[in-house]
Amino acid sequence: MKYLWLGFFVFAIATTLDASKDTNDDIQITCEESNVHIKWKVDRPMTDNPARLFLGSCFPSRFTNESSGAEAEFYYPLGACDFRRMATWKYLVYENKLTYRPLPKPSPPSFSYPVRCVYDRPKGWTPTFQSSSTGVIQGHGELAFHMEILNDDFSGPAESNVFPLGSFVPIWAGVNQQAHQPLLLLLEECVASTTLEMYSDTLTYPLISNKGCLVDSKKSFSKFLPRYHSSSLLLHLQAFKFAVGQEIYIHCKLIAWDPDQLSEEKKACNYNKDAGAWELLDDPFQSSLCQCCESTCQGRGKRDTDSTPQGLVLKSVLGPLTFTEDSL
């Protein structure tokens, strides 16, 4: 079984429009098929510096200042200006903010107003969750790594990128190879963050650490599921209370490895709450390899440092997801 849904294109037709629950007579928002058109009657104190007026990250498309009053006009595609898109079972939702920033960031705006466009979800449309990379391992040919968010029974792509707290996010990771030698797919490390790029000061939430320990399984019901093939991995990730309502990205290190070379550094471990112990996904009789999950997991032998490469490690980013207190 392979899940390679690559290159989805969205052709959304706007049938339901909801600019915002709030109202402001000075702001007129028109949600078009693939654009948003905003007219903003600007208060006089804001007219001195129209370059401090923003829709997300975008400047006004047009600004007029006449005796009758000043007006900022924004006309942009919904894919611009850092619009945030959420997909629910019924709707596609685009959100942003109008702001006036008299001082540069990180100073907060002195005025903020929500912009929200809601569209009926086109039939058959699915959000795109994919991250792929390729590499070469000696003796194994070219490899293609993939990660996907799937539906509840892992039979196809997810139909929503919005998950209520406590619900499960089905994640599939896999590696395809041209040669016939078997490979074991492992997740060495995964963290959640609110940014696509990782920086030294990025706020993160650890999911998998210590060379394959699913640390989130110790405080939630997250779990590696039994494999159907060594070259793929299924993860039930329980939506957690981190950056609720914001876009979340899952950053992972994927490893393709020799199935016969499991070690403290190359493993997939769940925490069994009933037994109060860590268990090795691929062979519970070798669960002693997971005991280091409570300390520091390190290699014990030369096999992890041989000059002939036994595996390939690649970084992957999956998202965006949104965790909410309630479903939309």
Side-chain angles (χ1 to χ4, degrees), residues 36-42 46-47 49-65 70-76 81 97-101:
V36 63
H37 189 191
I38 301 172
K39 293 182 178 180
W40 178 7
K41 295 179 180 179
V42 179
M46 302 181 187
T47 60
N49 192 356
R52 307 310 302 170
L53 302 171
F54 297 95
L55 169 63
S57 59
C58 293
F59 297 105
S61 307
R62 181 170 173 264
F63 181 80
T64 57
N65 191 358
E71 182 178 82
E73 189 171 351
F74 298 84
Y75 188 75
Y76 286 100
C81 306
K97 286 185 178 181
L98 288 172
T99 58
Y100 173 63
R101 293 183 174 274

Side-chain angles (χ1 to χ4, degrees), residues 35-305:
N35 303 291
V36 63
H37 189 191
I38 301 172
K39 293 182 178 180
W40 178 7
K41 295 179 180 179
V42 179
D43 292 339
R44 186 165 298 279
M46 302 181 187
T47 60
D48 293 338
N49 192 356
R52 307 310 302 170
L53 302 171
F54 297 95
L55 169 63
S57 59
C58 293
F59 297 105
S61 307
R62 181 170 173 264
F63 181 80
T64 57
N65 191 358
E66 300 175 351
S67 57
S68 57
E71 182 178 82
E73 189 171 351
F74 298 84
Y75 188 75
Y76 286 100
L78 291 168
C81 306
D82 293 334
F83 263 93
R84 175 185 168 204
R85 184 182 70 188
M86 296 188 297
T88 71
W89 299 105
K90 294 182 179 181
Y91 305 110
L92 295 181
V93 183
Y94 293 83
E95 294 182 340
N96 213 326
K97 286 185 178 181
L98 288 172
T99 58
Y100 173 63
R101 293 183 174 274
L103 298 174
K105 291 182 178 180
S107 298
S110 63
F111 175 86
S112 180
Y113 186 81
V115 175
R116 192 169 188 258
C117 293
V118 180
Y119 300 80
D120 281 345
R121 178 177 174 145
K123 185 178 181 180
W125 182 89
T126 56
T128 302
F129 301 104
Q130 63 239 3
S131 181
S132 61
S133 304
T134 59
V136 175
I137 297 180
Q138 183 175 336
H140 293 280
E142 183 173 319
L143 303 176
F145 291 77
H146 304 277
M147 288 188 73
E148 297 281 354
I149 305 291
L150 303 184
N151 57 19
D152 290 340
D153 61 1
F154 290 91
S155 63
E159 297 182 8
S160 174
N161 68 345
V162 180
F163 298 88
L165 289 176
S167 65
F168 286 95
V169 183
I171 297 178
W172 168 84
V175 57
N176 292 341
Q177 59 188 98
Q178 295 178 349
H180 296 291
Q181 295 92 332
L183 285 174
L184 185 70
L185 193 281
L186 298 169
L187 294 177
E188 179 180 86
E189 177 182 310
C190 288
V191 299
S193 80
T194 55
T195 57
L196 182 61
E197 300 291 336
M198 294 284 285
Y199 304 98
S200 59
D201 60 346
T202 299
L203 183 63
T204 61
Y205 181 92
L207 302 171
I208 300 172
S209 62
N210 217 353
K211 309 293 184 180
C213 303
L214 182 56
V215 293
D216 193 56
S217 66
K218 196 169 183 179
K219 52 189 174 184
S220 73
F221 291 100
S222 296
K223 187 178 182 179
F224 288 123
L225 300 183
R227 295 183 191 264
Y228 64 85
H229 195 279
S230 65
S231 63
S232 67
L233 193 61
L234 300 175
L235 171 63
H236 247 174
L237 181 66
Q238 190 172 27
F240 42 89
K241 203 164 187 177
F242 169 78
V244 174
Q246 302 181 47
E247 288 189 341
I248 295 174
Y249 294 87
I250 309 295
H251 299 255
C252 293
K253 289 183 181 179
L254 285 71
I255 301 178
W257 194 250
D258 185 342
D260 297 324
Q261 298 292 337
L262 290 174
S263 69
E264 287 189 355
E265 285 196 322
K266 302 294 183 293
K267 63 190 184 303
C269 299
N270 284 317
Y271 187 76
N272 185 326
K273 292 186 179 66
D274 293 333
W278 290 91
E279 291 183 349
L280 187 67
L281 171 68
D282 296 293
D283 184 358
F285 290 103
Q286 296 188 63
S287 291
S288 59
L289 296 177
C290 298
Q291 291 179 358
C292 63
C293 289
E294 295 295 333
S295 55
T296 302
C297 297
Q298 298 177 345
R300 294 179 177 178
K302 183 181 177 182
R303 64 188 182 190
D304 284 344
T305 57

